[in-house]
Amino acid sequence: MSGVVDRLLAQLPGLQGEAPVSRGASHQAASSGMSIHTVPPPMEDLLGPWARLVLGLALGTMMAWWPYPRTCGFPLVGYLTAVCTVVLGGGWAAVSAWRYRASLAHVLSLILVFYGMMLVAAELLPRTGYAVDQATWQCQENDLDSSWSASLRHQSVRNNS
Protein backbone atom coordinates (compact mmCIF):
# COMPACT_ATOMS: atom_id res chain seq x y z
CA MET A 1 0.00 0.00 0.00
CA SER A 2 2.78 2.45 0.86
CA GLY A 3 4.49 1.66 -2.45
CA VAL A 4 1.35 2.76 -4.32
CA VAL A 5 1.13 5.96 -2.30
CA ASP A 6 4.82 6.72 -2.92
CA ARG A 7 4.37 6.14 -6.66
CA LEU A 8 1.33 8.43 -6.77
CA LEU A 9 3.16 11.11 -4.78
CA ALA A 10 6.08 10.90 -7.19
CA GLN A 11 3.71 11.71 -10.06
CA LEU A 12 2.65 15.04 -8.52
CA PRO A 13 4.17 18.02 -10.37
CA GLY A 14 5.75 19.68 -7.30
CA LEU A 15 7.44 16.54 -5.98
CA GLN A 16 9.58 15.34 -8.91
CA GLY A 17 13.10 14.61 -7.80
CA GLU A 18 12.18 14.50 -4.11
CA ALA A 19 12.17 11.34 -2.09
CA PRO A 20 8.87 10.37 -0.54
CA VAL A 21 8.66 11.26 3.12
CA SER A 22 7.60 8.63 5.60
CA ARG A 23 6.14 9.31 9.03
CA GLY A 24 9.40 8.71 10.84
CA ALA A 25 11.29 11.05 8.49
CA SER A 26 8.94 13.96 9.17
CA HIS A 27 9.58 13.58 12.89
CA GLN A 28 13.33 13.45 12.26
CA ALA A 29 13.21 16.59 10.07
CA ALA A 30 11.33 18.48 12.77
CA SER A 31 13.70 17.37 15.50
CA SER A 32 16.87 18.05 13.47
CA GLY A 33 16.14 21.78 13.39
CA MET A 34 15.09 22.07 9.76
CA SER A 35 12.52 24.79 9.24
CA ILE A 36 9.70 24.91 6.78
CA HIS A 37 9.76 28.06 4.70
CA THR A 38 6.42 29.61 3.92
CA VAL A 39 5.90 31.77 0.90
CA PRO A 40 4.57 35.21 1.84
CA PRO A 41 1.28 36.15 0.20
CA PRO A 42 1.38 38.55 -2.75
CA MET A 43 0.95 42.24 -2.02
CA GLU A 44 -2.55 42.38 -3.54
CA ASP A 45 -3.68 39.80 -0.98
CA LEU A 46 -2.41 41.99 1.87
CA LEU A 47 -4.48 44.95 0.67
CA GLY A 48 -7.66 43.52 2.24
CA PRO A 49 -6.44 43.15 5.83
CA TRP A 50 -4.73 46.55 5.78
CA ALA A 51 -7.80 48.25 4.28
CA ARG A 52 -9.99 46.75 7.01
CA LEU A 53 -7.50 47.86 9.64
CA VAL A 54 -7.33 51.42 8.30
CA LEU A 55 -11.14 51.67 8.30
CA GLY A 56 -11.30 50.41 11.87
CA LEU A 57 -8.52 52.75 13.00
CA ALA A 58 -10.26 55.70 11.33
CA LEU A 59 -13.50 54.96 13.18
CA GLY A 60 -11.63 54.36 16.43
CA THR A 61 -9.81 57.65 16.09
CA MET A 62 -13.03 59.52 15.38
CA MET A 63 -14.58 58.11 18.55
CA ALA A 64 -12.27 60.38 20.56
CA TRP A 65 -14.06 63.39 19.07
CA TRP A 66 -17.64 62.12 19.31
CA PRO A 67 -19.67 65.30 18.69
CA TYR A 68 -22.89 64.42 20.54
CA PRO A 69 -23.67 64.08 24.23
CA ARG A 70 -23.57 60.48 25.42
CA THR A 71 -24.88 60.80 28.94
CA CYS A 72 -28.18 58.97 28.53
CA GLY A 73 -30.98 57.90 26.22
CA PHE A 74 -30.76 57.53 22.47
CA PRO A 75 -27.45 59.41 22.11
CA LEU A 76 -25.89 56.83 24.46
CA VAL A 77 -27.31 53.99 22.38
CA GLY A 78 -25.88 55.58 19.22
CA TYR A 79 -22.47 55.97 20.85
CA LEU A 80 -22.43 52.38 22.12
CA THR A 81 -23.44 51.15 18.66
CA ALA A 82 -20.54 53.05 17.11
CA VAL A 83 -18.13 51.69 19.73
CA CYS A 84 -19.36 48.14 19.10
CA THR A 85 -18.68 48.79 15.41
CA VAL A 86 -15.08 49.63 16.36
CA VAL A 87 -14.76 46.32 18.23
CA LEU A 88 -16.32 44.33 15.38
CA GLY A 89 -14.20 46.13 12.78
CA GLY A 90 -11.06 45.37 14.75
CA GLY A 91 -12.08 41.73 15.04
CA TRP A 92 -12.83 41.57 11.32
CA ALA A 93 -9.41 43.03 10.53
CA ALA A 94 -7.73 40.65 13.01
CA VAL A 95 -9.32 37.57 11.42
CA SER A 96 -8.38 38.77 7.96
CA ALA A 97 -4.81 39.55 9.02
CA TRP A 98 -4.52 36.12 10.66
CA ARG A 99 -5.74 34.43 7.50
CA TYR A 100 -3.17 36.22 5.33
CA ARG A 101 -0.39 36.00 7.95
CA ALA A 102 0.04 39.77 8.23
CA SER A 103 1.52 39.91 11.71
CA LEU A 104 1.74 43.69 12.16
CA ALA A 105 -1.81 44.19 10.92
CA HIS A 106 -2.97 41.45 13.29
CA VAL A 107 -1.32 43.03 16.33
CA LEU A 108 -2.71 46.48 15.47
CA SER A 109 -6.16 44.95 14.98
CA LEU A 110 -6.03 43.36 18.42
CA ILE A 111 -5.00 46.72 19.90
CA LEU A 112 -8.02 48.26 18.15
CA VAL A 113 -10.30 45.61 19.67
CA PHE A 114 -8.85 46.32 23.12
CA TYR A 115 -9.34 50.09 22.61
CA GLY A 116 -12.97 49.54 21.64
CA MET A 117 -13.52 47.35 24.69
CA MET A 118 -12.07 50.10 26.88
CA LEU A 119 -14.51 52.61 25.35
CA VAL A 120 -17.41 50.25 26.02
CA ALA A 121 -16.25 49.69 29.60
CA ALA A 122 -15.96 53.43 30.19
CA GLU A 123 -19.67 53.80 29.44
CA LEU A 124 -20.99 50.55 30.90
CA LEU A 125 -19.20 50.43 34.25
CA PRO A 126 -20.71 53.65 35.69
CA ARG A 127 -24.17 52.42 34.68
CA THR A 128 -23.81 48.98 36.24
CA GLY A 129 -22.44 50.08 39.61
CA TYR A 130 -18.80 49.05 39.19
CA ALA A 131 -17.42 52.60 39.14
CA VAL A 132 -17.29 55.41 41.66
CA ASP A 133 -19.24 57.74 39.37
CA GLN A 134 -22.84 56.73 38.91
CA ALA A 135 -24.69 57.25 35.64
CA THR A 136 -28.12 56.27 34.36
CA TRP A 137 -29.33 54.70 31.17
CA GLN A 138 -32.37 56.93 30.74
CA CYS A 139 -32.59 60.68 30.95
CA GLN A 140 -34.98 62.33 33.40
CA GLU A 141 -37.31 64.70 31.59
CA ASN A 142 -36.71 67.62 33.95
CA ASP A 143 -32.91 67.26 33.53
CA LEU A 144 -33.32 67.30 29.78
CA ASP A 145 -35.76 70.23 29.87
CA SER A 146 -33.59 72.24 32.23
CA SER A 147 -30.50 71.74 30.08
CA TRP A 148 -32.38 72.77 26.94
CA SER A 149 -34.00 75.75 28.62
CA ALA A 150 -30.69 76.86 30.11
CA SER A 151 -29.01 76.76 26.71
CA LEU A 152 -31.94 78.62 25.12
CA ARG A 153 -31.84 81.30 27.84
CA HIS A 154 -28.10 81.64 27.35
CA GLN A 155 -28.57 82.08 23.59
CA SER A 156 -31.40 84.61 24.00
CA VAL A 157 -29.31 86.67 26.46
CA ARG A 158 -26.41 86.62 24.01
CA ASN A 159 -28.66 87.63 21.08
CA ASN A 160 -30.27 90.49 23.03
CA SER A 161 -26.89 91.94 23.96
Side-chain angles (χ1 to χ4, degrees):
M1 180 81 158
S2 67
V4 174
V5 172
D6 292 340
R7 184 177 45 87
L8 290 174
L9 286 174
Q11 292 175 357
L12 291 174
L15 296 178
Q16 277 111 12
E18 295 181 14
V21 177
S22 67
R23 290 185 184 196
S26 65
H27 183 346
Q28 290 171 352
S31 65
S32 67
M34 293 176 52
S35 64
I36 298 173
H37 297 287
T38 59
V39 178
M43 288 304 279
E44 55 268 2
D45 285 348
L46 292 177
L47 184 63
W50 281 102
R52 290 177 180 106
L53 177 63
V54 166
L55 287 173
L57 286 174
L59 181 59
T61 303
M62 286 186 276
M63 294 308 293
W65 294 286
W66 184 259
Y68 307 110
R70 56 181 187 258
T71 55
C72 58
F74 286 118
L76 176 65
V77 172
Y79 178 77
L80 288 176
T81 302
V83 170
C84 287
T85 305
V86 170
V87 173
L88 290 175
W92 183 39
V95 167
S96 177
W98 181 266
R99 183 176 301 137
Y100 289 106
R101 304 294 189 256
S103 58
L104 181 61
H106 184 71
V107 170
L108 292 175
S109 300
L110 292 177
I111 291 171
L112 180 64
V113 169
F114 181 69
Y115 171 68
M117 292 170 75
M118 285 183 7
L119 291 176
V120 168
E123 294 301 323
L124 290 183
L125 292 179
R127 286 166 178 79
T128 56
Y130 284 105
V132 174
D133 297 331
Q134 294 295 317
T136 60
W137 291 100
Q138 302 224 345
C139 300
Q140 282 76 22
E141 289 185 33
N142 54 2
D143 290 344
L144 186 61
D145 291 339
S146 64
S147 64
W148 280 100
S149 61
S151 65
L152 288 176
R153 272 187 269 129
H154 180 61
Q155 286 179 355
S156 64
V157 168
R158 198 172 7 157
N159 290 339
N160 290 338
S161 301

